[in-house]
Amino acid sequence: MASLVMGPLLGLEAETQYSICFLAGPDCKGAGVRINGSLLAAGKQADTPRGGFWRVSWTATPAEAGSSVEYQILLDGEPARDLAGEDRWQFHLPGSAERVRIGYASCNGFSDFKLLTSTPQPYVMWDKLDAEHATHPFSLLLMGGDQVYADSLWTTVPSLKAWNELDMAEKVKRKATRTMEEQLDRFYCDLYCKQWGRPEVARLLARIPSAMMWDDHDIFDGWGSYPESPDNLQGCDVYRVIYAAASRYFRLFQLRSVANVSLLDPVKLGHHSWRLSFRGYQILALDNRANRTRAQVMSPSQWDQINDALAACDAGHLLVLAGVPVVYRDFSFTEAALDATPWEEELTDDLKDHWRAKDHQGERARLIMRLLDNARIRRQKDAGCKTLILSGDVHVGCLGVIQDKRDGVLNVHQLVSSGIVHPCPTQFQWMGILAMTNDDAEYLDENRLIRAELIKPFGAPVYLRTRNFATLLMGTDNKLWANWHCENGLAASYPLA
């Protein structure tokens, strides 16, 4: 029996359109997927150092009741096993009238090796997610950033390690070499194969349809928030080839290739934002990394496409994936203090990453106003429709709300779930964050009618300082129930009305 190098990866790209992708060895000449008895030919999307990346697209025909769909992969006509020895996989196809259950997670890795070695059960939250899926199957798993952690590239890619030892002026001048490009290509391919090859992760990526958007660690920590002057480190040639390699494998593994029909810019690929409709939900994922600089989060042309996508979201519930929280603690005092110094502190890029950084405040206000305007349009058709921002990044869970009282009461909520693998800040680190920041309520207009603040979920404190993932389910009470599943046993929940 043949063996897969990595996968399968099950994706959702439209209301009834699913993708199945996998990595097969370089000797594989042809591949297919047998799904519910029908054989579909797979197309090779790319060659990688580990072999060919293959893809199949399948259109479902849901019945009134939910059902289980089984699929099998064939390599050169021979059934193939995954790394765990499985040769058949199943997933839940929701019925046409079913209230779908959606999972959400982020931060699937460790930012340094010490964190990994000091965490007793690194992937226990994936086991908990698996147990939830076995009891009440998920129809979709959304992942909101840092699906892999690439920060080890500085010490494991030999040419980068040597480049990193140069002084700043020489770094910026130095051109990337063919050897560096090849080593980076191998690095990112190996990274996905290793981190997603973990049995706890691989099992669910093959059995729950997923849709993903990247954040900085999928490239490396702080991407886009490094200074453009006086040295222009962000624009140097070495950073260019790092981004090229990272984006190549993000498109393959997370987006399941540029054939993904949900992409907003599939031809130019100036960014990777996407939109899909699924069972009464409009889901819009914002790529906040492709065009990020110190001065912007998204480019003007990207904003044009985001605005068009929002205009198309004119009915149903809206879920918006934005990796860094839009509503969170205020770091402006700390940012101002560091800006007053003549040097770059180690944490400067983390501060500049936040939406409330001074250079991003105007763009943040623009995003919030667009979401409020969109929510108001959808509410004219259905007063019960919800708007929810899904975020990660900060390694705690929390709940935010933007409340607009200009014409009645309109709420846009934000759920933060982080991380499913990355540990929360230590008590010492958390005390430092609390000391340097505040979470006072914020008013976004001069009439003080638009207010943003963090609120406390039921059964938990404001901040869930524990590893977690979240679930979403529309209740019979017409409330969207958000639930955090926590490593420390907390059962936090909140009904979004």
Side-chain angles (χ1 to χ4, degrees):
M1 184 173 279
S3 296
L4 299 174
V5 176
M6 205 276 278
L9 306 172
L10 179 62
L12 178 74
E13 299 179 8
E15 182 73 50
T16 57
Q17 185 165 331
Y18 294 79
S19 62
I20 298 168
C21 298
F22 48 90
L23 202 59
D27 295 333
C28 178
K29 306 302 182 186
V33 173
R34 182 174 286 117
I35 183 163
N36 274 2
S38 299
L39 182 61
L40 302 174
K44 185 191 283 189
Q45 304 301 305
D47 286 305
T48 78
R50 292 283 196 100
F53 188 90
W54 298 79
R55 169 192 164 96
V56 158
S57 179
W58 177 69
T59 301
T61 306
E64 185 175 346
S67 60
S68 179
V69 175
E70 181 175 277
Y71 67 97
Q72 184 181 29
I73 295 173
L74 292 88
L75 303 181
D76 294 324
E78 185 180 353
R81 290 193 178 104
D82 65 12
L83 296 177
E86 302 282 346
D87 63 353
R88 294 175 187 270
W89 305 269
Q90 298 81 31
F91 65 94
H92 177 69
L93 178 64
S96 56
E98 184 176 333
R99 294 174 184 264
V100 295
R101 194 165 188 242
I102 297 174
Y104 177 76
S106 69
C107 302
N108 178 46
F110 296 90
S111 52
D112 67 58
F113 185 71
K114 184 179 179 181
L115 271 178
L116 169 62
T117 56
S118 62
T119 303
Q121 295 178 289
Y123 297 91
V124 69
M125 295 307 295
W126 279 97
D127 291 333
K128 292 180 183 291
L129 184 63
D130 191 13
E132 284 289 319
H133 181 58
T135 305
H136 305 289
F138 292 100
S139 299
L140 174 63
L141 174 63
L142 296 171
M143 299 195 73
D146 301 340
Q147 278 70 255
V148 294
Y149 276 70
D151 307 301
S152 61
L153 86 171
W154 302 114
T155 56
T156 58
V157 176
S159 55
L160 268 188
K161 186 177 181 181
W163 175 84
N164 212 27
E165 293 172 353
L166 302 173
D167 61 44
M168 183 62 72
E170 186 60 30
K171 281 183 183 179
V172 172
K173 288 192 301 183
R174 186 68 60 95
K175 296 295 182 182
T177 63
R178 175 61 65 86
T179 297
M180 182 180 287
E181 293 183 31
E182 291 172 350
Q183 290 176 353
L184 283 166
D185 194 66
R186 166 68 72 172
F187 170 81
Y188 280 101
C189 183
D190 289 348
L191 182 72
Y192 278 94
C193 290
K194 180 180 179 181
Q195 295 194 9
W196 286 15
R198 289 283 314 185
E200 305 91 337
V201 179
R203 175 177 173 80
L204 291 186
L205 293 184
R207 290 168 174 81
I208 305 176
S210 59
M212 305 179 183
M213 180 49 68
W214 67 354
D215 202 19
D216 58 334
H217 288 280
D218 299 288
I219 309 166
F220 62 77
D221 184 25
W223 173 264
S225 293
Y226 289 93
E228 296 175 296
S229 61
D231 301 303
N232 194 24
L233 182 63
Q234 185 70 47
C236 75
D237 196 53
V238 170
Y239 271 35
R240 178 188 62 80
V241 298
I242 292 173
Y243 179 84
S247 61
R248 177 180 190 233
Y249 285 96
F250 163 68
R251 291 166 187 163
L252 286 178
F253 286 94
Q254 297 198 39
L255 297 181
R256 319 294 150 81
S257 88
V258 296
N260 189 325
V261 298
S262 68
L263 289 169
L264 301 186
D265 189 23
V267 178
K268 294 182 179 179
L269 288 173
H271 63 94
H272 309 94
S273 303
W274 52 259
R275 180 180 75 88
L276 64 85
S277 300
F278 183 62
R279 300 300 198 275
Y281 293 92
Q282 300 281 348
I283 307 172
L284 176 63
L286 306 179
D287 181 352
N288 291 161
R289 291 296 161 183
N291 294 307
R292 177 185 284 267
T293 67
R294 281 279 181 96
Q296 69 177 30
V297 178
M298 296 184 285
S299 68
S301 60
Q302 182 180 353
W303 263 109
D304 289 342
Q305 292 181 308
I306 295 298
N307 291 336
D308 290 344
L310 276 173
C313 297
D314 59 355
H317 309 297
L318 176 63
L319 305 180
V320 179
L321 273 66
V324 177
V326 177
V327 181
Y328 194 57
R329 298 186 66 84
D330 182 7
F331 289 79
S332 59
F333 174 79
T334 306
E335 182 188 16
L338 291 181
D339 284 347
T341 67
W343 56 83
E344 287 286 317
E345 296 285 351
E346 183 179 354
L347 297 178
T348 300
D349 60 287
D350 292 321
L351 296 174
K352 300 298 183 182
D353 248 10
H354 280 272
W355 279 101
R356 294 183 72 171
K358 68 177 186 296
D359 291 326
H360 300 321
Q361 288 174 5
E363 197 169 354
R364 172 178 178 259
R366 179 183 184 183
L367 174 62
I368 289 172
M369 295 305 174
R370 291 285 184 179
L371 294 180
L372 289 171
D373 289 346
N374 176 268
R376 191 167 285 106
I377 291 170
R378 287 181 291 110
R379 286 237 168 157
Q380 291 173 357
K381 296 183 178 180
D382 178 6
C385 69
K386 315 293 188 285
T387 305
L388 178 63
I389 303 167
L390 296 168
S391 297
D393 180 69
V394 292
H395 305 149
V396 297
C398 58
L399 175 67
V401 63
I402 302 162
Q403 188 171 81
D404 183 356
K405 294 183 176 180
R406 290 176 296 176
D407 183 14
V409 177
L410 180 67
N411 290 330
V412 170
H413 288 92
Q414 175 191 264
L415 178 153
V416 177
S417 177
S418 171
I420 191 168
V421 170
H422 197 287
C424 64
T426 65
Q427 182 65 39
F428 183 75
Q429 291 168 333
W430 186 241
M431 288 173 63
I433 291 171
L434 296 181
M436 295 189 297
T437 63
N438 72 77
D439 57 4
D440 299 338
E442 175 192 12
Y443 291 94
L444 298 169
D445 69 322
E446 63 270 27
N447 297 317
R448 298 171 71 86
L449 294 176
I450 305 174
R451 174 184 171 115
E453 63 183 327
L454 296 171
I455 56 179
K456 191 168 78 70
F458 296 147
V462 173
Y463 300 100
L464 307 175
R465 203 172 60 81
T466 177
R467 293 192 295 178
N468 62 89
F469 62 86
T471 59
L472 301 172
L473 180 65
M474 183 58 64
T476 55
D477 55 0
N478 199 35
K479 293 181 174 64
L480 179 58
W481 281 87
N483 292 272
W484 289 260
H485 300 257
C486 300
E487 184 178 20
N488 67 0
L490 275 175
S493 62
Y494 198 84
L496 310 180

